[in-house]
């Protein structure tokens, strides 16, 4: 090979290496660009978080539906809780079930899973009708924030502030509170086939009431769920829930 041929070969090799590096860099940037919108999608992160928490807490085995948990999770992202505890009443379940779930969002731990009553005019074994009206003696759906405690006719009781206008915002004037009641017990279920019912309050057992109220007072969250589509469409705190990124696009088919 002549000296001229050697120089030409070196130039061609150098050009080839430069082209390969440029092509690799371009492919890398294209790949990264395609991934960024997905990685930065808030809805993707949110879904990943709630699914992970739901699974890690074993909530399916404890009877809490994914839909109930997802609605609670979504709504509480919009509410500033002073006490990072989320309680969920899943009224799609029979009152024979332990359908109240109390979750510590910081420690990612189920603190309590127990019985809770619904209003006597909401239904018998199942809660099927809901109202925000005075003297309706029905439960009200939606999101609540806990306030302080007081001693009432049921002993230690926890005031609840309804956060959704026209849905549960009369909770305070209706005296809808969390309290203990003797009709919330396994013996009552054995005798009647269901829990007793309240005047609209999410009443719990006397054995659980003090412990539960101490967990929840002063700024924790309570969500009462029934699967009622009218409520889901009306709730401002659930607005946009159905419009989040397509679940299938995230490789998940949960809802």
């Amino acid at each position: 090979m002549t000296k001229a041929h050697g120089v030409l070969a070196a130039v061609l090799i150098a050009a080839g290496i430069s082209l390969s590096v440029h092509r690799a860099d371009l492919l890398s940037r294209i790949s990264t660009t395609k991934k960024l919108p997905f990685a930065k999608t808030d809805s993707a992160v949110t879904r990943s978080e709630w699914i992970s928490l739901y699974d890690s807490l074993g909530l399916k085995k404890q009877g809490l539906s994914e839909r109930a948990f997802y609605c609670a999770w979504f709504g509480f992202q919009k509410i500033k809780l002073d006490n990072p505890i989320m309680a969920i009443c899943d009224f799609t379940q029979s009152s024979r079930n332990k359908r109240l779930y109390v979750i510590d969002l910081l420690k990612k731990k189920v603190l309590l899973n127990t019985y809770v009553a619904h209003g006597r005019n909401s239904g018998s074994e199942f809660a099927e009708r809901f109202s925000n009206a005075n003297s309706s003696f029905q439960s009200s759906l939606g999101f609540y924030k806990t306030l302080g405690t007081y001693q009432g006719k049921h002993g230690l009781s926890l005031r609840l502030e309804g956060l959704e206008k026209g849905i549960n915002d009369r909770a305070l004037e209706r005296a809808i509170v969390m309290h203990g009641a003797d009709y919330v017990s396994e013996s009552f279920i054995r005798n009647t086939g269901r829990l007793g019912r309240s005047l609209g309050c999410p009443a719990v057992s006397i054995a659980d009431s003090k412990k539960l109220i101490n967990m929840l007072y002063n700024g924790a969250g309570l969500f009462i769920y029934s699967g009622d589509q009218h409520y889901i469409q009306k709730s401002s705190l659930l607005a946009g829930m159905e419009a989040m990124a397509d679940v299938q696009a995230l490789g998940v088919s949960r809802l």
Side-chain angles (χ1 to χ4, degrees):
M1 179 185 293
T2 66
K3 184 175 181 180
H5 286 156
V7 170
L8 179 59
V11 169
L12 290 175
I13 290 171
I17 292 172
S18 176
L19 181 60
S20 297
V21 170
H22 176 73
R23 184 184 179 196
D25 180 62
L26 180 61
L27 289 173
S28 174
R29 279 187 287 172
I30 291 172
S31 177
T32 302
T33 301
K34 286 183 177 180
K35 291 178 182 177
L36 280 176
F38 178 81
K40 289 187 176 182
T41 299
D42 291 340
S43 58
V45 174
T46 301
R47 285 186 186 277
S48 175
E49 288 177 357
W50 78 259
I51 289 169
S52 175
L53 185 58
Y54 179 85
D55 288 344
S56 67
L57 295 178
L59 292 170
K60 184 175 183 178
K61 290 182 180 179
Q62 295 179 63
L64 180 62
S65 74
E66 289 181 347
R67 184 70 168 177
F69 182 77
Y70 176 50
C71 289
W73 173 264
F74 186 94
F76 279 124
Q77 302 306 304
K78 300 181 180 181
I79 301 168
K80 182 180 179 181
L81 296 178
D82 301 313
N83 179 359
I85 305 294
M86 178 174 72
I88 305 171
C89 293
D90 183 1
F91 280 169
T92 63
Q93 298 185 45
S94 162
S95 64
R96 296 167 56 90
N97 295 353
K98 292 182 177 181
R99 54 185 180 169
L100 174 64
Y101 305 81
V102 183
I103 300 165
D104 187 318
L105 295 172
L106 288 183
K107 295 181 180 179
K108 297 184 174 163
K109 180 180 179 182
V110 177
L111 301 178
L112 190 65
N113 175 209
T114 192
Y115 299 104
V116 61
H118 56 257
R120 71 186 188 194
N121 286 344
S122 282
S124 182
E125 180 182 346
F126 289 87
E128 300 172 326
R129 297 175 296 278
F130 306 94
S131 175
N132 191 37
N134 290 321
S135 302
S136 67
F137 302 145
Q138 293 183 21
S139 299
S140 297
L141 297 174
F143 291 88
Y144 297 78
K145 194 171 184 179
T146 66
L147 302 176
T149 61
Y150 70 98
Q151 289 289 335
K153 66 179 181 180
H154 295 289
L156 184 66
S157 302
L158 178 65
R159 289 187 174 90
L160 301 171
E161 178 187 6
L163 301 178
E164 302 198 75
K165 187 173 178 58
I167 297 172
N168 62 18
D169 60 335
R170 290 182 176 172
L172 286 173
E173 65 182 87
R174 292 179 62 201
I176 300 300
V177 301
M178 184 170 283
H179 62 77
D182 56 8
Y183 52 76
V184 181
S185 67
E186 292 185 351
S187 62
F188 198 100
I189 293 173
R190 286 193 298 269
N191 292 332
T192 65
R194 58 168 173 77
L195 280 188
R197 296 161 298 167
S198 68
L199 299 182
C201 298
V204 297
S205 72
I206 292 173
D208 286 335
S209 61
K210 185 175 181 179
K211 174 173 58 176
L212 183 57
I213 289 171
N214 284 335
M215 289 176 186
L216 294 176
Y217 81 100
N218 283 346
L222 170 67
F223 177 59
I224 298 180
Y225 174 79
S226 78
D228 184 286
Q229 283 302 119
H230 176 71
Y231 160 71
I232 290 173
Q233 292 167 7
K234 186 176 179 181
S235 172
S236 61
L237 290 172
L238 295 181
M241 182 181 72
E242 306 292 5
M244 288 179 72
D246 190 303
V247 182
Q248 296 296 335
L250 304 179
V252 182
S253 56
R254 306 290 295 230
L255 295 177

